[in-house]
Amino acid sequence: MKPTALVTGASSGIGFRIAQQLATRGYDIIGVGASDRILELPQKLPGTTVIPLRADLTDREQVDGLWREFEQLGRPLNVAALNAGASLGGAFIDTDIEDELRLLALNVTSQVILAKHISRAMVAQRSGRILITTSLSATTPTPYESIYGPTRSFMYSFAQGLREELREHGVSVTALLPGATATEFHDRAGMQQTKFGDNSWKNDPELVAKLGVEALFSGRDHVIGGDRGTRWAALRNKFSSEESKAKRFAQDSKPDERD
Ligand SMILES: NC(=O)c1ccc[n+]([C@@H]2O[C@H](COP(=O)([O-])OP(=O)(O)OC[C@H]3O[C@@H](n4cnc5c(N)ncnc54)[C@H](OP(=O)(O)O)[C@@H]3O)[C@@H](O)[C@H]2O)c1
């Protein structure tokens, strides 16, 4: 049997590209998505054994159900990419708290639950690699996307801590921090009326995924996902005050009056 990789958010964007790169490296893919389009993944990755699993990761029952489905497959887990995620644009005073709680459930709670199952399984087999997609937004306050950035900071810090714990068990953890990337992400977040509404200037998801997968197999603790400008922005964030970063971010994320 070929090695197995579980990829959440594999139906589109960065997750699809991660699945594609892992397939090229000889992995069978268990691809997870929220909607029916995950069922198209086998056709999109011809020549690879692909098992699509549908689960709404905002729902705790479905997160646990997903893990049970995985266990029933009776496969070892060699690579896990916790990548599914979303954002929500708009002023905090206007956004709906129910949407924000769902965002926390997807971007944080579901990842922690899956990481618990995955870590225990990989420690028991004394091997495995975990890739956690966070964001460059982990390194800055994110006004007008006010809940999203903190979910990515949580996951970045969590990934680094988990990495240290799992090291002695032969399991490595790598965090991927993409800069803005040309996927459906900002459109779905309702950010059309911001600088992020335009995909033309953003990173190529294929490049972002390639950097993440290379870092995963090199055992790196993290990698910035993107071009030179993205790496420069990451460096600048290290040396800027939180207040100045918040101001800069708001210039790009605050909805303008465009139709
Ligand atoms: N794009 C960017 O600018 C950017 C920048 C930094 C970090 N990131 C991070 O990259 C990751 C992937 O984002 P992307 O840009 O590739 O976005 P995307 O194109 O919108 O893809 C999101 C993926 O997550 C899945 N998903 C969404 N909600 C879900 C739910 N409730 N349950 C299960 N799966 C769900 C989607 O499945 P369906 O299609 O079936 O709904 C899809 O496969 C996220 O964690 C995000 O934080 C993105």
Side-chain angles (χ1 to χ4, degrees):
M1 194 187 283
K2 284 181 172 180
T4 305
L6 174 78
V7 181
T8 69
S11 57
S12 73
I14 297 168
F16 170 65
R17 297 297 182 178
I18 290 174
Q20 198 173 41
Q21 304 258 340
L22 291 169
T24 307
R25 286 176 182 251
Y27 283 77
D28 287 346
I29 304 295
I30 299 174
V32 181
S35 66
D36 271 347
R37 68 181 175 160
I38 193 66
L39 306 177
E40 295 158 17
L41 193 60
Q43 290 105 280
K44 286 159 78 180
L45 295 175
T48 301
T49 300
V50 179
I51 302 171
L53 296 178
R54 206 185 137 177
D56 177 356
L57 298 177
T58 63
D59 177 349
R60 167 86 198 256
E61 300 258 308
Q62 294 194 40
V63 178
D64 288 331
L66 167 65
W67 185 253
R68 279 195 300 275
E69 278 190 84
F70 169 73
E71 283 187 319
Q72 279 162 13
L73 296 172
R75 285 171 167 263
L77 184 57
N78 307 96
V79 164
L82 294 177
N83 165 83
S87 186
L88 179 65
F92 184 66
I93 53 167
D94 297 332
T95 45
D96 184 329
I97 189 67
E98 295 304 327
D99 291 341
E100 275 151 345
L101 295 178
R102 268 193 295 278
L103 187 65
L104 286 164
L106 173 62
N107 286 13
V108 177
T109 311
S110 79
Q111 313 263 27
V112 172
I113 297 167
L114 287 176
K116 179 79 81 185
H117 291 305
I118 290 163
S119 300
R120 286 178 173 164
M122 287 183 172
V123 166
Q125 67 194 19
R126 290 206 62 79
S127 69
R129 297 181 186 275
I130 302 173
L131 181 66
I132 296 182
T133 307
T134 76
S135 173
L136 195 58
S137 292
T139 66
T140 174
T142 56
Y144 301 99
E145 224 184 338
S146 56
I147 304 303
Y148 174 69
T151 71
R152 305 297 74 182
S153 302
F154 181 104
M155 288 310 299
Y156 182 45
S157 181
F158 174 71
Q160 291 284 5
L162 187 62
R163 173 183 173 82
E164 183 56 27
E165 284 191 38
L166 298 189
R167 184 199 306 275
E168 65 181 277
H169 299 286
V171 178
S172 82
V173 181
T174 299
L176 166 62
L177 282 69
T181 304
T183 69
E184 301 166 10
F185 179 80
H186 290 106
D187 201 37
R188 291 174 134 194
M191 297 183 71
Q192 296 82 359
Q193 288 177 301
T194 71
K195 184 180 173 193
F196 294 108
D198 171 13
N199 263 355
S200 65
W201 60 274
K202 296 182 198 168
N203 288 294
D204 177 352
E206 193 170 351
L207 169 70
V208 171
K210 180 170 177 286
L211 291 167
V213 170
E214 282 172 359
L216 175 77
F217 286 106
S218 313
R220 288 180 62 184
D221 72 305
H222 81 282
V223 65
I224 302 299
D227 59 12
R228 217 181 138 132
T230 304
R231 291 197 302 278
W232 161 243
L235 187 65
R236 190 179 54 184
N237 280 355
K238 272 194 181 177
F239 299 103
S240 304
S241 70
E242 298 305 303
E243 194 174 26
S244 68
K245 285 187 283 188
K247 277 205 174 75
R248 192 183 301 127
F249 195 90
Q251 285 166 8
D252 295 341
S253 61
K254 189 172 182 179
D256 63 22
E257 302 306 316
R258 282 181 285 187
D259 285 326

